[in-house]
Amino acid sequence: MAATPNPAVAGTRTLIPARIDRLPWSRFHTRMVVALGVAWILDGLEITVASAVADTLTKPETLNMSSTAVGLLATVYLAGEVVGALFFGSLSDKLGRRNLFMLTLGVYLVGSGLTALTLGNGVGWVIFLYLTRFIAGMGIGGEYAAINSAIDELIPARYRGRIDIAVNGTYWAGAVLGTIGTYVLLNRMDLSLGWRLGFLIGPVLGVVILLVRRHLPESPRWQIMHGRQEAAEQSIAEIEREVQLAGRDLPPVDEGKAIEVTPAERIGYVALARVLFREYPSRAVLGASLMISQSFLYNAIFFTYTLVLGKFYGVPSAATPIYLIAFAVGNLVGPFTIGHLFDTIGRRAMLSGTYILSGVLLAITAVLFDTGSLNAVTQTIAWCVIFFFASAGASAGYLTVSEIFPLEVRAKAIAVFFAIAQCFGALGPVIYGGLIGEGDHPVRLFIGYLLGAVVMIAGGLVARFLAVDAEGKSLEDVAMPLSATRRGGTRAEGASSPFST
């Protein structure tokens, strides 16, 4: 159903967005980032654990599953992420960020916790296993939509880029944690117990974070846009009070940044399509290009990483965790070291630069691979360098789709582009797995690497021409809310109301 303004609700003049953006960094912001940012750690951990125990689940002393049945677990988890992102993304725009980031973490805890209770390998237990992986995926998919929205709406504009990129990059901290955890559990404990404890690492961490999230406020931006003026005032007042108690001074608020809001109702996916294709078509192309290209590259390389090491370099499976940790660390370091440049140099230059540079480096590595110039160590070093830049760019892709669309449809927009990226990204492992084969034809993988390079370079070129210069800008300046006007009823350029005729 299309979005329609509610004529019974009078417009409300508010300075809440300006009050959020003028805040200095404080313990509140640190606590919020830690409590919400764990979503990416959990996703990285879940995927790594599932990959690490895949061979274990085929053993007679565990579940004695076939390789095909085990491989299907990843597909089911991915499908759960897509469904969860779309379903909970819609609820997040409707019911609020806080309600959803509590609910989605709870769904993940139930799903992943129950996975460890798969007690047999009969048809019923296999269905139970797939169901729990789907539920866990739904929780994590919902987290992506709710958490990105909440972080963007609560972080001051001057910090938004670096914080969002760093938070998204912590996926690889989860990958490191999952790799180390499962390596210890599978090599130091009975296999039938070790794989179960591996799937409990995330829920244990999640329970602790759930307690911290209980004390986070709702997004005042979401509240004011939904006609909850008193609740929004209370939320922002609590945040300001905590900042002041920490000894930080609050600069005066620029009255010229006030906006007038007339809350809208019944905003669904039809309204989102209207916004994307009528109001922001170039931004829709930008978001899709960034998300598809990075997802294709990552899924293609990461999910076939150990196959390349084993088939082409003869690395035994027991040694692959060491290489995986090195790869994950390279991905983790990138967002934390160059993420601030997206706020200083700017979104356009850094987005296009990281995508194009990672594509060019991948093409160079492809040539070195084809000529036989690499071994397991130098191949891993090359991937670490490539994904140092690619990881920052991919994290900035998530930042982009979460900040360039209006607040009323922000979570749904994130969900849609996340779902699109996952669907296209799912092609990567299939294509590259076929190219790898038994390792008899390296030229096929050489061509595959060149394909990945072209995809990333194309994403970078799209960013060069279509990226939004959002660095340091309030979310309302980047994309005016659908139901808001600025200073005397004038909307931001390029953001005319979709309700007009």
Side-chain angles (χ1 to χ4, degrees):
M1 182 176 293
T4 57
N6 183 356
V9 180
T12 300
R13 184 180 182 275
T14 181
L15 280 165
I16 281 180
R19 290 167 69 181
I20 293 174
D21 288 333
R22 61 98 181 238
L23 292 173
W25 192 264
S26 68
R27 285 180 294 184
F28 162 77
H29 296 103
T30 301
R31 187 176 75 253
M32 179 195 66
V33 168
V34 171
L36 298 183
V38 73
W40 287 265
I41 295 178
L42 293 176
D43 191 24
L45 183 129
E46 281 293 308
I47 289 179
T48 305
V49 168
S51 299
V53 305
D55 184 59
T56 300
L57 295 182
T58 65
K59 306 294 184 183
E61 60 267 38
T62 60
L63 299 184
N64 198 30
M65 300 176 69
S66 68
S67 297
T68 302
V70 172
L72 187 58
L73 286 174
T75 303
V76 169
Y77 178 81
L78 177 62
E81 282 196 323
V82 171
V83 172
L86 294 173
F87 178 70
F88 291 120
S90 179
L91 287 184
S92 181
D93 281 334
K94 180 180 180 180
L95 302 179
R97 315 312 189 200
R98 186 181 186 279
N99 288 333
L100 266 294
F101 65 60
M102 296 294 288
L103 175 60
T104 53
L105 183 55
V107 170
Y108 160 74
L109 293 176
V110 170
S112 193
L114 289 177
T115 295
L117 298 180
T118 305
L119 302 179
N121 59 357
V123 174
W125 283 114
V126 171
I127 293 174
F128 175 82
L129 176 62
Y130 287 142
L131 179 62
T132 60
R133 298 313 297 151
F134 184 84
I135 293 172
M138 280 190 67
I140 294 298
E143 288 269 285
Y144 275 94
I147 301 305
N148 262 324
S149 301
I151 289 178
D152 279 358
E153 291 165 15
L154 286 167
I155 291 292
R158 60 190 178 281
Y159 302 114
R160 190 173 64 245
R162 70 196 72 185
I163 295 301
D164 226 14
I165 290 171
V167 167
N168 281 289
T170 57
Y171 173 98
W172 296 101
V176 172
L177 180 61
T179 301
I180 295 174
T182 51
Y183 180 78
V184 173
L185 292 173
L186 296 179
N187 288 278
R188 296 288 184 267
M189 302 187 70
D190 181 76
L191 287 181
S192 63
L193 178 62
W195 77 266
R196 302 177 196 280
L197 293 179
F199 279 111
L200 290 177
I201 296 174
V204 170
L205 176 61
V207 168
V208 176
I209 296 301
L210 191 63
L211 298 176
V212 178
R213 286 187 181 182
R214 291 174 53 204
H215 302 290
L216 294 179
E218 177 57 90
S219 163
R221 277 183 161 109
W222 180 88
Q223 289 173 319
I224 197 67
M225 296 303 170
H226 286 76
R228 305 181 184 183
Q229 293 87 353
E230 292 185 6
E233 181 59 38
Q234 181 179 356
S235 295
I236 187 62
E238 290 177 357
I239 296 172
E240 290 173 336
R241 184 161 48 250
E242 183 172 346
V243 172
Q244 289 176 313
L245 288 175
R248 306 300 301 274
D249 294 327
L250 297 180
V253 182
D254 183 356
E255 292 287 337
K257 293 185 177 180
I259 61 174
E260 186 173 326
V261 181
T262 303
E265 296 179 349
R266 303 192 304 275
I267 300 177
Y269 280 106
V270 173
L272 174 62
R274 194 177 183 183
V275 171
L276 293 182
F277 296 107
R278 195 176 100 178
E279 300 299 316
Y280 299 102
S282 62
R283 296 186 182 193
V285 171
L286 170 68
S289 299
L290 293 178
M291 295 295 284
I292 289 172
S293 55
Q294 62 86 17
S295 181
F296 179 83
L297 177 69
Y298 264 100
N299 287 348
I301 301 299
F302 184 58
F303 284 109
T304 61
Y305 187 94
T306 56
L307 286 176
V308 172
L309 292 176
K311 300 295 185 183
F312 291 100
Y313 300 115
V315 176
S317 58
T320 54
I322 298 174
Y323 295 89
L324 285 172
I325 290 173
F327 180 75
V329 169
N331 278 273
L332 181 62
V333 171
F336 279 86
T337 55
I338 65 176
H340 69 283
L341 298 178
F342 287 80
D343 281 327
T344 54
I345 295 177
R347 306 285 203 264
R348 185 185 304 271
M350 289 303 297
L351 274 168
S352 59
T354 51
Y355 272 68
I356 292 174
L357 181 57
S358 59
V360 170
L361 290 174
L362 179 58
I364 294 173
T365 301
V367 173
L368 295 175
F369 170 80
D370 187 52
T371 59
S373 303
L374 300 175
N375 55 37
V377 173
T378 53
Q379 175 74 79
T380 300
I381 292 173
W383 276 332
C384 287
V385 174
I386 293 168
F387 285 93
F388 172 88
F389 298 102
S391 181
S395 295
Y398 282 96
L399 163 68
T400 298
V401 298
S402 68
E403 71 179 356
I404 63 175
F405 299 106
L407 183 145
E408 294 93 334
V409 296
R410 176 166 293 123
K412 283 190 286 292
I414 297 170
V416 166
F417 286 109
F418 174 77
I420 292 173
Q422 293 295 72
C423 291
F424 276 89
L427 298 174
V430 176
I431 294 173
Y432 281 75
L435 294 175
I436 292 169
E438 295 300 318
D440 300 328
H441 303 285
V443 68
R444 295 178 182 174
L445 188 57
F446 162 69
I447 296 173
Y449 284 152
L450 290 183
L451 172 63
V454 170
V455 168
M456 283 299 286
I457 292 172
L461 292 174
V462 171
R464 175 65 183 84
F465 294 102
L466 298 183
V468 179
D469 300 315
E471 58 274 5
K473 295 180 181 178
S474 170
L475 290 173
E476 289 70 28
D477 288 326
V478 177
M480 183 70 81
L482 302 178
S483 53
T485 55
R486 163 97 63 194
R487 292 193 299 274
T490 302
R491 288 183 61 82
E493 182 180 356
S496 59
S497 172
F499 311 138
S500 60
T501 57

